[in-house]
Amino acid sequence: MTYSEALDYIHSRPRFKNTDNRKAMRLLLEQLDNPQDKLQIVHIAGTNGKGSCAKMLSNILIEAGYKTGLNISPFIIDFRERFTINGEFISEQKLADITELVKEKQEYILEKYDCNLVEFEIVTAIAFYYFYMEQCDIVCIEVGIGGKEDSTNVIKNSLLSCIMNISFDHTEILGETIEEIAYQKAGIIKENQNVICYPAIDKRALKVIEKECNEKNASLIIPDIKNINICHKGQFNDILNYKELSIKQSFAGIHQSYNTSVVIEAAKILDNTTKFVISKDNITKGIEKTTFPARIEVFSENPLIILDGGHNVDGVTALSNVLKENNINNLTAVWASLSDKHPKQLIEIMSPFINKLYTVDIFGSRAISKSELADIAKEYISNCHPADSLENVIKTSIYNNENLIVFGSLYLASDARRIILKNINKQS
């Protein structure tokens, strides 16, 4: 199997199905000799902040000298972002080889048990097998959707669980209330383990998490917001002071400082309760080295060019808070959205910062057309137009030295990032 054939196979799998309590996933992993049971894992759930937490913690562990696997979703630049070890993507050939093996096992269990696997299950199985094959010391695993019924939650024991901020997303799968969603997220909590929780989490969600921890005799650690102090050093340059640590953050916004506090507590728990030795210097350097594409990513400050993949109310609210903190407005904006992400609410949140808006199409059955989005947005932004193309509107904005923001969807972020980088390089 070639790399191209591997991607074709993975993307040919169905995206969703009715839950079967992970039966197919367990059968597949049994055929692979259960690699997930032979790994040391930190498991991370939440509506927003999972990727930032996983990336920061993995960088801390790399700084501490450990061979560290990182499994995140979705990807922005390259599909192989989903599987990294010490910051390096899986090679194309290794991904192809493992995919071929997983395909053989999938076909076997389909024939014997009539069990079919979706795309994310295949991707997760590849990750577990790759990290085991490469003998990682420790692995940071990000939940896909929810937690309790997620494909990653075949882990029998994890070193610790992190639960990031919880808000409304994937309600058709996880439930219509914060409590129902929190119940799904809290499903990753294991017996007698340590659980680190986002410090500004909704109180309703926290009650659910506390109940789950009590039932499983798990210790709940919540960073104290009083210990989180931010010193602003110009636009998008924050220094986080948390307890005895002072850290120059690569991420902007108070929500990222809250994410960082979870990561710091997680690193300390690993140092205190496991074989992993992590110093304060490892924590500081690991966090300061962490960058993440399309998470309020600033390409230029003059003119201002920002890309953000925040795609739900919580994510876009975080983006708007950063713009407010930095007194940014009169932006030219490019926006796309999915139908189940409350687009009217999203553009209402962002409208105070936007002078001119272009809507664009993105791929997917849940995507809203650029014309429909423009109709929604006109209630809040009069200067609103469907764009002729994503590339043309970004290219023109950069050429005209406009302050630009591209936001609303991770599906949009990958193409937008490539176009931004190409045109910034031309300008320079």
Side-chain angles (χ1 to χ4, degrees):
M1 182 179 279
T2 65
Y3 176 64
S4 178
E5 289 169 341
L7 290 186
D8 287 344
Y9 169 72
I10 292 167
H11 296 320
S12 72
R13 309 305 304 160
R15 289 198 64 215
F16 298 106
K17 66 179 178 183
N18 294 329
T19 179
D20 60 1
N21 197 30
R22 302 175 301 276
K23 178 183 176 182
M25 184 69 181
R26 294 185 191 281
L27 287 170
L28 176 62
L29 290 170
E30 283 175 11
Q31 291 299 312
L32 295 169
D33 199 24
N34 287 311
Q36 77 284 359
D37 293 340
K38 301 165 188 175
L39 295 169
Q40 300 289 305
I41 294 172
V42 176
H43 206 184
I44 303 164
T47 307
N48 291 292
K50 301 187 297 293
S52 299
C53 175
K55 192 80 176 283
M56 283 189 276
L57 186 56
S58 69
N59 279 350
I60 289 169
L61 289 159
I62 293 167
E63 283 294 317
Y66 298 106
K67 189 173 186 178
T68 306
L70 173 64
N71 177 224
I72 60 171
S73 68
F75 69 95
I76 300 297
I77 303 167
D78 187 306
F79 180 79
R80 295 175 298 144
E81 280 174 66
R82 290 174 176 266
F83 325 90
T84 61
I85 296 176
N86 285 7
E88 297 292 326
F89 294 175
I90 186 173
S91 73
E92 292 186 355
Q93 191 55 55
K94 279 184 181 175
L95 179 59
D97 291 344
I98 297 171
T99 302
E100 185 169 19
L101 173 63
V102 169
K103 180 176 182 285
E104 290 172 4
K105 303 301 184 184
Q106 151 66 22
E107 289 171 349
Y108 170 78
I109 66 168
L110 178 60
E111 181 179 349
K112 185 169 182 178
Y113 302 103
D114 194 29
C115 282
N116 215 1
L117 285 97
V118 298
E119 179 176 344
F120 188 73
E121 290 172 321
I122 295 291
V123 169
T124 302
I126 291 168
F128 284 140
Y129 191 84
Y130 174 56
F131 296 141
Y132 168 66
M133 184 178 74
E134 294 296 318
Q135 297 183 311
C136 287
D137 298 315
I138 189 168
V139 178
C140 298
I141 299 284
E142 178 186 345
V143 165
I145 296 176
K148 185 176 178 63
E149 300 297 336
D150 187 69
S151 305
T152 63
N153 203 30
V154 291
I155 302 164
K156 291 179 181 176
N157 293 293
S158 49
L159 295 173
L160 61 87
S161 294
C162 297
I163 300 181
M164 310 307 289
N165 200 20
I166 294 176
S167 62
F168 292 99
D169 203 3
H170 300 294
T171 53
E172 74 284 359
I173 298 171
L174 304 179
E176 298 290 337
T177 69
I178 283 290
E179 290 88 349
E180 289 174 325
I181 295 169
Y183 174 73
Q184 292 296 325
K185 308 288 186 186
I188 70 166
I189 296 171
K190 304 297 187 287
E191 297 280 347
N192 303 311
Q193 76 166 182
N194 289 294
V195 180
I196 323 293
C197 187
Y198 186 80
I201 200 164
D202 188 293
K203 290 180 180 178
R204 296 166 294 176
L206 181 57
K207 284 184 180 179
V208 175
I209 294 166
E210 288 174 334
K211 183 174 183 291
E212 190 71 16
C213 285
N214 288 335
E215 290 177 357
K216 292 185 176 176
N217 195 34
S219 299
L220 181 61
I221 297 98
I222 307 174
D224 189 344
I225 285 179
K226 294 176 184 176
N227 290 326
I228 299 171
N229 296 297
I230 303 168
C231 179
H232 296 287
K233 297 289 185 182
Q235 278 191 333
F236 310 108
N237 294 307
D238 295 341
I239 295 177
L240 168 66
N241 296 299
Y242 180 72
K243 295 184 176 178
E244 73 279 12
L245 296 174
S246 183
I247 298 170
K248 296 176 184 176
Q249 295 192 117
S250 300
F251 300 123
I254 184 66
H255 65 292
Q256 290 291 9
S257 296
Y258 292 161
N259 291 341
T260 302
S261 71
V262 173
V263 172
I264 293 169
E265 293 296 344
K268 288 182 175 181
I269 288 292
L270 289 174
D271 180 60
N272 291 332
T273 65
T274 73
K275 67 179 182 181
F276 297 98
V277 179
I278 302 169
S279 69
K280 293 176 184 177
D281 191 51
N282 297 150
I283 294 172
T284 300
K285 286 182 178 178
I287 293 170
E288 291 186 345
K289 287 182 178 180
T290 303
T291 59
F292 215 139
R295 268 64 170 185
I296 313 184
E297 186 176 11
V298 180
F299 296 88
S300 166
E301 291 191 24
N302 187 24
L304 184 63
I305 302 173
I306 301 174
L307 173 65
D308 187 59
H311 54 282
N312 53 32
V313 172
D314 190 62
V316 171
T317 298
L319 171 60
S320 71
N321 287 337
V322 170
L323 298 177
K324 193 182 300 180
E325 288 167 12
N326 289 279
N327 196 30
I328 293 166
N329 48 44
N330 293 320
L331 294 167
T332 295
V334 180
W335 178 45
S337 184
L338 301 179
S339 59
D340 57 349
K341 302 300 181 184
H342 309 284
K344 184 173 182 179
Q345 197 172 347
L346 299 186
I347 200 61
E348 183 180 7
I349 292 168
M350 287 295 293
S351 61
F353 311 98
I354 297 171
N355 176 54
K356 179 170 57 178
L357 176 69
Y358 293 97
T359 56
V360 293
D361 290 325
I362 52 174
F363 176 78
S365 59
R366 295 177 294 145
I368 304 180
S369 73
K370 61 186 179 183
S371 298
E372 290 178 273
L373 279 179
D375 289 340
I376 292 169
K378 281 174 183 173
E379 182 179 344
Y380 305 98
I381 302 166
S382 59
N383 192 359
C384 174
H385 316 276
D388 58 350
S389 77
L390 175 63
E391 181 151 16
N392 283 347
V393 71
I394 291 176
K395 183 178 179 179
T396 301
S397 178
I398 292 174
Y399 180 81
N400 291 333
N401 289 316
E402 296 174 345
N403 292 325
L404 173 69
I405 186 165
V406 182
F407 75 100
S409 174
L410 287 168
Y411 291 97
L412 171 66
S414 180
D415 286 341
R417 193 176 193 277
R418 173 183 52 79
I419 295 165
I420 289 169
L421 288 171
K422 182 175 74 173
N423 284 281
I424 284 178
N425 290 338
K426 282 184 180 179
Q427 289 293 92
S428 60

